[in-house]
Amino acid sequence: MNAPALTKNQALVFEVLEKADGPLSAYTILDKLRDHGFRAPLQVYRALEKLLEYGVVHRLESINAFVACAHPDQNCHSHGIVAFAICESCGHVMEFHDHEVDHRLMNWTRGKKFKAEKTTIEIRGLCETCAA
Amino acid sequence: MNAPALTKNQALVFEVLEKADGPLSAYTILDKLRDHGFRAPLQVYRALEKLLEYGVVHRLESINAFVACAHPDQNCHSHGIVAFAICESCGHVMEFHDHEVDHRLMNWTRGKKFKAEKTTIEIRGLCETCAA
DNA sequence: ATCGCACACGTTATAGCATAACGCAATTGA
DNA sequence: TCAATTGCGTTATGCTATAACGTGTGCGAT
Ligand SMILES: [Zn+2]
Ligand SMILES: [Zn+2]
Ligand SMILES: [Zn+2]
Ligand SMILES: [Zn+2]
């Protein structure tokens, strides 16, 4: 999905996520935008819905949070599954993909005639700094 | 983790999950156990916490639900990451592992010196029956 | 025996995450 | 102009999960 120009709310939410140094919950985003007129969760969720659709934001299912895409330029999402490593101590997220993993999972689903729509890979643990 | 004898509440929750033909939310489990004296969410969550610890139940992060382990005998979880394919139409879940996927992800984390604690792989889509 | 501890349990309250449903305004394209 | 689409704001509600407190029971150490 290519991203059209963002609306005001979408741009505000995206900006907050870009500036953050880690994933944010929808309600945290809401709090950061109260000064800009945001009053209700739906304003955030509606913007997030579009940003996810455009592929510029990812949702981390295992921690109910959202993060700006780390690969804004290359549209790597069009050719593979995105995986995340999430540090449970400092909150930092690393985004990557591995075509071999994609391939293996696709092989499995094909064998089962399962039609995959959306795949989540999230590794929780400790980043190098926090594990030391 | 090896499973000691289950307490009454743990056994009740586990039985509900075993009999279900798909994942259940904690609150759905609660409703199914009201006749057995369950009154509050914590009774379910506390039992689930132990069942997860024992490895006889899995949590599906992407849909906030719980499912009985499909491989009760082989303790396959001790030697690999568990992956799930979840049908978004009928709710059926298939549980599997792929050592090559584990290997690739472990390679990546080792390269980044990331200490993985818990990895989630969930494929949402349509099962063979529902996709037809 | 009884003390101390660990653990399961029950209850109430609260926190955190997400969506339904209504109505209005601006845009677009037939 | 009219209809359809999209974004927006508001209120209310629903779903998911945990905090905090207290009770009872079993069991080993003293
Ligand atoms: Zn990305
Ligand atoms: Zn860290
Ligand atoms: Zn299992
Ligand atoms: Zn199905």
Side-chain angles (χ1 to χ4, degrees):
Chain A
M1 170 75 59
N2 215 5
L6 300 182
T7 67
K8 184 162 175 291
N9 284 5
Q10 288 160 19
L12 285 167
V13 168
F14 184 57
E15 194 182 341
V16 166
L17 282 174
E18 260 194 324
K19 285 180 177 161
D21 62 345
L24 300 178
S25 78
Y27 277 72
T28 302
I29 297 170
L30 173 58
D31 285 339
K32 288 181 183 292
L33 288 176
R34 290 206 188 273
D35 293 344
H36 291 76
F38 275 50
R39 317 285 318 169
L42 256 191
Q43 296 174 276
V44 177
Y45 281 107
R46 288 205 273 230
L48 285 172
E49 185 180 18
K50 287 301 181 183
L51 295 171
L52 290 168
E53 190 180 317
Y54 302 153
V56 296
V57 161
H58 300 295
R59 176 196 182 95
L60 301 177
E61 314 268 10
S62 65
I63 59 173
N64 296 317
F66 304 85
V67 68
C69 177
H71 309 136
D73 309 319
Q74 68 232 76
N75 65 336
C76 35
H77 311 104
S78 58
H79 53 84
I81 299 166
V82 188
F84 301 91
I86 307 166
C87 177
E88 299 194 289
S89 172
C90 70
H92 275 178
V93 173
M94 284 178 283
E95 177 180 340
F96 67 101
H97 36 108
D98 183 309
H99 284 225
E100 181 61 19
V101 169
D102 299 5
H103 198 243
R104 296 289 298 184
L105 293 179
M106 214 182 311
N107 265 2
W108 186 90
T109 53
R110 207 173 25 233
K112 296 290 185 184
K113 299 204 184 344
F114 186 93
K115 185 162 178 286
E117 299 285 2
K118 176 88 175 65
T119 297
T120 296
I121 301 181
E122 296 177 15
I123 308 173
R124 267 120 44 241
L126 295 174
C127 74
E128 181 174 5
T129 305
C130 294
Chain B
M1 170 73 60
N2 216 7
L6 299 184
T7 68
K8 185 160 175 291
N9 284 4
Q10 288 161 17
L12 285 168
V13 169
F14 184 57
E15 193 183 340
V16 166
L17 281 175
E18 261 194 322
K19 285 181 178 161
D21 62 344
L24 300 179
S25 78
Y27 280 75
T28 302
I29 297 170
L30 173 59
D31 285 339
K32 288 182 183 294
L33 288 176
R34 290 206 187 273
D35 293 345
H36 291 76
F38 275 51
R39 318 285 319 167
L42 255 192
Q43 295 175 276
V44 177
Y45 281 108
R46 286 205 272 230
L48 285 172
E49 185 180 17
K50 288 299 181 185
L51 295 171
L52 290 168
E53 190 181 318
Y54 301 154
V56 296
V57 161
H58 300 296
R59 176 197 182 92
L60 301 177
E61 314 266 11
S62 65
I63 59 173
N64 296 317
F66 303 85
V67 67
C69 177
H71 309 134
D73 307 321
Q74 68 232 75
N75 66 337
C76 33
H77 310 104
S78 58
H79 53 83
I81 299 167
V82 189
F84 301 91
I86 307 166
C87 177
E88 300 194 287
S89 172
C90 71
H92 275 179
V93 173
M94 284 178 283
E95 178 180 342
F96 67 102
H97 342 239
D98 182 308
H99 284 222
E100 181 61 18
V101 168
D102 299 5
H103 197 243
R104 297 288 297 185
L105 293 179
M106 215 183 309
N107 265 2
W108 186 90
T109 53
R110 207 172 26 233
K112 296 290 185 185
K113 299 202 184 343
F114 186 93
K115 184 160 180 286
E117 298 286 2
K118 176 86 174 67
T119 297
T120 297
I121 301 181
E122 296 177 15
I123 307 173
R124 267 116 51 237
L126 295 175
C127 73
E128 180 174 7
T129 306
C130 294

